[in-house]
Amino acid sequence: MTETDTETHKAKMQKLQAEHRAKLAEAGDPERGLVLVHTGKGKGKSSSAFGVVVRALGWRKSVGVVQFIKGNWITGERQFFERLGGVVWHTMGEGFTWDTQDRDRDIAAAQAAFAKAREMMESGDFDLIVLDEINIALRYGYLSAEEVLEGLRARSDRTGVILTGRDAPAEICDYADLVTEMTEVKHPFQAGIKAQRGVDF
């Protein structure tokens, strides 16, 4: 790299840094917990949410998790947080919908899970709550977007919420502060590779 290239690069980086600092100076604190949506057909929605949980715990934040669909399926993240402690964890679903084959039972389980989630969100005891796979419950009509929005609006100002699962409703995305859509580019299952412990669950 020539001296001219070096100077050009330095000037470019300084300009970007100045622009970034100006944006930071203009940004404000909403003084409330944010609502994040992790959706899309790609993997990593729950994994990303649990990464945020780790970040929150690093700052000694109070965290809760309500799982809507996974039932008693043993996952690595649940085992990890149970060993670590510091996370209030409720697994309320009875498994994936194709396991139960009973719509009324699925609706009852989702409603019970959301009642627990509302209790936690409104309590003022949590800085962050993950509603894991709630978007799947919404997709199948076990919950309505209206009742979930009502619960989000009623949450304590202290409490941020992450909603995971594919096919998040437009109304939820419109309300959220951050929406991330995971895009699948390639998946091992398409090559006949089953889910791997420690990678997929």
Side-chain angles (χ1 to χ4, degrees):
M1 186 177 280
T2 67
E3 189 174 333
T4 302
D5 291 337
T6 301
E7 288 303 315
T8 300
H9 178 74
K10 183 178 177 183
K12 182 179 178 182
M13 292 300 107
Q14 287 175 338
K15 182 181 178 208
L16 287 172
Q17 188 179 57
E19 289 171 355
H20 181 67
R21 284 180 177 158
K23 285 180 183 175
L24 280 176
E26 291 172 7
D29 186 342
E31 298 183 356
R32 62 171 172 77
L34 301 181
V35 173
L36 288 65
V37 173
H38 296 178
T39 193
K41 293 187 180 359
K43 285 186 61 60
K45 297 175 285 291
S46 295
S47 301
S48 180
F50 293 126
V52 179
V53 168
V54 169
R55 182 176 289 157
L57 292 174
W59 287 104
R60 301 186 184 281
K61 301 287 188 180
S62 175
V63 180
V65 174
V66 179
Q67 287 192 303
F68 280 76
I69 300 294
K70 286 174 177 161
N72 292 319
W73 189 32
I74 298 170
T75 62
E77 57 267 23
R78 182 177 175 186
Q79 293 183 87
F80 172 77
F81 288 119
E82 283 177 352
R83 284 197 298 268
L84 179 70
V87 176
V88 176
W89 196 291
H90 295 280
T91 300
M92 309 290 286
E94 296 194 49
F96 287 98
T97 51
W98 51 81
D99 291 331
T100 65
Q101 305 289 309
D102 185 335
R103 181 172 172 76
D104 290 339
R105 206 166 113 192
D106 286 341
I107 289 171
Q111 292 289 335
F114 193 63
K116 173 57 70 176
R118 281 206 67 157
E119 177 188 317
M120 293 168 71
M121 289 191 292
E122 293 174 30
S123 70
D125 294 335
F126 296 92
D127 297 297
L128 177 67
I129 296 174
V130 176
L131 305 182
D132 190 37
E133 305 289 4
I134 191 172
N135 294 332
I136 302 297
L138 284 158
R139 169 183 166 191
Y140 285 109
Y142 303 158
L143 298 169
S144 71
E146 292 74 22
E147 66 186 310
V148 172
L149 285 171
E150 182 182 308
L152 291 171
R153 291 187 185 110
R155 76 189 188 280
S156 165
D157 286 342
R158 168 187 178 182
T159 304
V161 181
I162 306 177
L163 301 89
T164 76
R166 62 172 59 195
D167 299 320
E171 304 96 307
I172 302 290
C173 292
D174 288 343
Y175 178 78
D177 297 288
L178 172 70
V179 179
T180 301
E181 186 168 341
M182 308 293 183
T183 302
E184 183 176 300
V185 176
K186 188 176 184 180
H187 197 298
F189 189 70
Q190 307 305 327
I193 300 171
K194 69 180 182 179
Q196 301 293 296
R197 187 180 288 179
V199 174
D200 295 296
F201 62 93

